[in-house]
Amino acid sequence: MYLEIVSPEATLFSSEVDSVVVPGVNGEFEMLNNHAPIVSLLKEGTVKIHTHTQSHLVFDELHAEVIPHNDNDKILTLKIKSGTIEMKDNKVIVLAD
């Protein structure tokens, strides 16, 4: 699935990913490939982006960090204050503050 994280200042992340975990207002939830369409509000917390490769990843290094999870998986984390998420047709858009 394709993930794009946008803030008022810039696009913070844009790439194919395996999954994304976001801080929803009713608790943290994860979206995988072929997830049902959804629109949700986000609260302050950490967006966790799971990917098997770092080639061709584009992210704002001032706001994100790479955490090695195991030899084959990488987790990028991004702190947000609030936001909105939309998932449709295997594309996830996060509008983040």
Side-chain angles (χ1 to χ4, degrees):
M1 73 182 174
Y2 193 82
L3 172 64
E4 188 170 75
I5 302 176
V6 181
S7 76
E9 294 83 27
T11 297
L12 303 177
F13 182 89
S14 180
S15 182
E16 288 286 330
V17 299
D18 295 330
S19 68
V20 61
V21 179
V22 294
V25 292
N26 293 322
E28 191 174 78
F29 64 95
E30 180 175 26
M31 286 174 290
L32 301 167
N33 203 28
N34 296 317
H35 192 284
I38 185 173
V39 174
S40 180
L41 295 175
L42 303 177
K43 65 178 183 177
E44 184 170 359
T46 303
V47 176
K48 298 172 192 161
I49 305 158
H50 296 256
T51 180
H52 278 89
T53 179
Q54 282 189 271
S55 62
H56 308 334
L57 288 183
V58 178
F59 67 100
D60 181 345
E61 293 182 15
L62 296 175
H63 296 92
E65 62 178 319
V66 178
I67 301 171
H69 185 62
N70 62 40
D71 291 339
N72 298 322
D73 194 28
K74 301 289 183 211
I75 300 174
L76 303 173
T77 63
L78 180 71
K79 302 271 187 202
I80 64 169
K81 293 180 184 173
S82 65
T84 305
I85 188 167
E86 178 186 20
M87 168 73 163
K88 184 178 177 187
D89 298 328
N90 279 331
K91 183 173 183 181
V92 180
I93 300 173
V94 176
L95 305 175
D97 270 337

